[in-house]
């Protein structure tokens, strides 16, 4: 008998038996992600939860995006994460007028916007320069004054990481890790940042009541603020010139940074126009405006009463300013405070 042939036959027989009995680990690892649509309150006044077909929300993708969001190793110096300028306790803003904590240490030209209810936004950044969250991600990730990431180095870091390859495989059912899947996972996490449990929301759902002062402030809001800060999201998702400046200088070295949405559309009517910020969570997101020029809400109301600068593209709603009595101002501030969502800023699902 040829021992070698006999041994080989036994090995092949045993291997076939084991393969037949073993569970299909490969199939388990490559099972489809668990897709879902988040539950959100009727008080947001939104019928649908929009998400692109190429990037449906999954629990695996969201968790991967959350991990990346808090990872400073994505930046050029390994010290700056997305969360560095978007802190959960500040409704994912940073409390600075113009942050300088990026890789370069230089101050940015824009205030770090709060991140919540972004699934319903079809324009991102103060001028709407990104059409969706997937494309928006690359701005802060690669900007030399922010995270200054080299995407090739980021991919090398992720591919050689002890945990990331499996997380990407679970999220996208593929062993291929690309800059696109990085952006898609970060976008998924940011779409889950839903703020809908303030005192106002609880009132709208019949779970709590507003005080008489807050209710009167609600009426002041409806009369003077709701045309641009539409109830529900408390923004009209549009862009307006609210009289911050009388002219819009355009130094060549700044590439039109002071001209508002005009630098995106090149339409004259968009000069000095910026995205309408939501009135939700204002207690956490000071300072205010695209450049953080107002430290508190009193200064904001002062601007709308006496500080509006007339110019050719001023929003028509503001031609006569917003003049409130001392009582109306107090009432309005009381209502605005009812829009603070303390459950949102402490939600463990959004923490590191």
């Amino acid at each position: 008998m040829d021992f070698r042939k006999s041994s080989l036959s036994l090995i092949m027989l045993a291997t076939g038996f084991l393969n037949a009995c073993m569970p299909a680990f490969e199939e388990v690892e490559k099972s489809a992600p668990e897709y879902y649509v988040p539950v959100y309150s009727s008080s947001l006044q939104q019928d649908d939860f929009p998400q692109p077909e190429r990037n449906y929300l999954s629990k695996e993708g969201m968790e991967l995006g959350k991990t990346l969001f808090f990872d400073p190793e994505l930046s050029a110096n390994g010290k700056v994460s997305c969360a560095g300028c978007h802190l959960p306790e500040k409704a994912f803003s940073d409390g600075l007028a113009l942050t300088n904590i990026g890789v370069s240490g230089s101050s940015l030209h824009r205030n770090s916007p709060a991140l919540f209810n972004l699934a319903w936004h079809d324009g991102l950044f103060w001028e709407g320069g990104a059409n969706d969250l997937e494309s928006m991600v690359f701005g802060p990730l690669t900007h030399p004054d922010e995270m200054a990431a080299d995407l090739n180095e980021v991919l090398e870091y992720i591919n050689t990481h002890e945990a990331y390859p499996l997380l990407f495989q679970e999220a996208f059912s593929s062993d291929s890790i690309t800059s696109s899947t990085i952006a898609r996972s970060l976008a998924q996490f940011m779409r889950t940042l839903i703020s809908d449990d303030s005192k106002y929301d609880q009132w709208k759902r019949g779970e709590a009541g507003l005080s008489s002062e807050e209710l009167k402030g609600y009426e002041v809001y409806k009369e003077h603020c709701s045309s641009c800060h539409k109830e529900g999201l408390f923004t009209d998702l549009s862009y307006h010139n609210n009289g911050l400046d009388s002219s819009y200088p355009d130094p060549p070295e700044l590439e039109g940074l002071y001209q508002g949405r005009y630098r995106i559309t090149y339409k004259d009517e968009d000069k000095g126009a910026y995205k309408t910020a939501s009135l939700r969570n204002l207690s956490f997101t000071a300072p205010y405006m695209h450049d953080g020029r107002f430290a508190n809400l009193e200064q904001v109301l002062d601007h709308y009463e006496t500080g509006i600068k007339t110019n050719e593209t001023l929003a028509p709603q503001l031609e006569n300013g917003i003049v409130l009595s001392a009582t109306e101002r107090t009432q309005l501030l009381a209502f605005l405070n009812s829009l603070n969502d303390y459950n949102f800023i402490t939600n463990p699902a959004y923490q590191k």
Side-chain angles (χ1 to χ4, degrees):
M1 174 184 286
D2 188 331
F3 244 163
R4 288 172 299 178
K5 289 184 178 179
S6 178
S7 299
L8 181 59
S9 297
L10 287 171
I11 291 172
M12 292 176 66
L13 180 62
T15 302
F17 177 78
L18 287 172
N19 286 339
C21 295
M22 289 176 66
F25 288 113
E26 188 73 11
E27 293 180 9
V28 171
E29 289 181 1
K30 293 189 176 181
S31 60
E34 187 176 345
Y35 298 111
Y36 73 105
V37 175
V39 176
Y40 56 91
S41 175
S42 60
S43 56
L44 291 181
Q45 300 184 19
Q46 303 299 313
D47 294 331
D48 300 307
F49 182 83
Q51 50 184 326
E53 289 185 8
R54 72 184 187 280
N55 195 24
Y56 284 132
L57 188 64
S58 72
K59 293 185 178 180
E60 296 85 354
M62 182 275 292
E63 288 293 341
L64 170 59
K66 175 182 174 180
T67 303
L68 291 168
F69 190 87
F70 286 95
D71 189 349
E73 294 296 334
L74 300 185
S75 67
N77 63 2
K79 298 179 180 179
V80 182
S81 70
C82 302
C85 294
H86 299 282
L87 308 171
E89 64 270 23
K90 294 186 180 296
F92 291 90
S93 63
D94 67 358
L96 302 174
L98 300 172
T99 188
N100 62 352
I101 67 169
V103 168
S104 72
S106 299
S107 294
L108 303 183
H109 297 286
R110 294 290 178 269
N111 174 257
S112 296
L115 306 179
F116 56 81
N117 299 339
L118 297 179
W120 293 279
H121 290 232
D122 54 9
L124 287 306
F125 297 123
W126 282 101
E127 294 98 336
N131 293 325
D132 54 41
L133 287 167
E134 285 78 8
S135 60
M136 182 273 285
V137 163
F138 293 108
L141 186 61
T142 61
H143 194 286
D145 292 327
E146 297 185 56
M147 295 176 72
D150 179 309
L151 292 178
N152 289 325
E153 292 179 359
V154 170
L155 288 172
E156 182 180 0
Y157 160 66
I158 288 176
N159 274 292
T160 57
H161 192 274
E162 61 181 2
Y164 275 131
L166 178 58
L167 293 177
F168 273 87
Q169 203 283 327
E170 290 175 340
F172 298 107
S173 299
S174 171
D175 294 325
S176 176
I177 300 174
T178 65
S179 57
S180 174
T181 51
I182 292 172
R184 286 162 62 192
S185 57
L186 283 165
Q188 286 191 41
F189 172 63
M190 286 186 281
R191 281 197 180 92
T192 69
L193 301 178
I194 297 175
S195 178
D196 64 350
D197 200 26
S198 66
K199 186 178 181 182
Y200 159 86
D201 296 298
Q202 295 165 11
W203 169 60
K204 280 291 183 176
R205 297 194 298 261
E207 301 167 1
L210 294 184
S211 69
S212 60
E213 188 171 56
E214 290 166 339
L215 288 170
K216 290 175 182 176
Y218 177 54
E219 297 302 320
V220 176
Y221 149 78
K222 288 196 292 185
E223 179 179 354
H224 296 286
C225 313
S226 60
S227 61
C228 294
H229 297 278
K230 186 177 178 181
E231 190 169 359
L233 296 177
F234 286 91
T235 168
D236 61 0
L237 304 176
S238 189
Y239 308 84
H240 301 283
N241 179 330
N242 62 344
L244 292 173
D245 301 293
S246 56
S247 61
Y248 313 101
D250 186 20
E253 67 274 15
L254 294 182
E255 300 178 353
L257 280 174
Y258 292 114
Q259 296 201 335
R261 183 155 172 76
Y262 174 81
R263 65 189 287 253
I264 306 298
T265 66
Y266 295 105
K267 294 180 179 179
D268 287 340
E269 61 266 31
D270 286 334
K271 287 185 177 180
Y274 295 94
K275 185 81 172 279
T276 304
S278 175
L279 297 181
R280 289 177 173 272
N281 297 314
L282 291 177
S283 287
F284 317 130
T285 58
Y288 308 105
M289 306 298 164
H290 69 280
D291 54 5
R293 68 177 65 187
F294 298 134
N296 53 57
L297 290 176
E298 290 286 355
Q299 291 180 6
V300 172
L301 295 180
D302 287 343
H303 164 72
Y304 285 122
E305 183 168 339
T306 60
I308 293 175
K309 296 178 174 60
T310 302
N311 56 68
E312 69 276 12
T313 60
L314 179 68
Q317 303 96 313
L318 298 175
E319 289 179 356
N320 298 314
I322 299 176
V323 180
L324 304 176
S325 68
T327 298
E328 288 174 323
R329 180 180 284 219
T330 299
Q331 292 167 344
L332 177 59
L333 290 173
F335 172 68
L336 294 179
N337 281 328
S338 78
L339 297 175
N340 297 324
D341 187 349
Y342 290 90
N343 291 323
F344 173 68
I345 66 169
T346 58
N347 189 336
Y350 304 146
Q351 308 296 317
K352 184 174 180 180

